[in-house]
Amino acid sequence: MNHRTLNHDQFAELDAHNSIAIAVGTLAAAVGIGLQLWIAGLAIWILGHAAAVWLTRTEPQFIGVFARHLRLRAPVLDA
């Protein structure tokens, strides 16, 4: 029997994607603890997690779409 947290499935109605939540939490901890900017770290965590939850609810596959966007960027117009 698999525990629910061991599965790599995302639950769009509950939370953000795991990798995004870990990245936002790591950035917030680095700012809050490393730079000792507690309020800024807390703000980064709240806003980043809220944005990740909103993106997950809007487009459940946004991580794959964003990765494809970065990989297949349109060439910059040469002037």
Side-chain angles (χ1 to χ4, degrees), residues 9-21 48-63:
D9 298 332
Q10 66 181 1
F11 300 99
E13 62 273 4
L14 297 178
D15 203 0
H17 196 276
N18 292 340
S19 61
I20 298 298
H49 191 72
V53 169
W54 179 75
L55 282 171
T56 303
R57 287 183 181 171
T58 303
E59 176 62 50
Q61 298 296 323
F62 82 94
I63 291 178

Side-chain angles (χ1 to χ4, degrees), residues 5-6 16 22 25-26 37 39 44 46 55-57 60 66 72 75 79:
T5 59
L6 297 177
I22 290 170
T26 302
L37 299 172
I39 295 173
I44 289 171
I46 290 171
L55 282 171
T56 303
R57 287 183 181 171
F66 185 66
L72 301 174

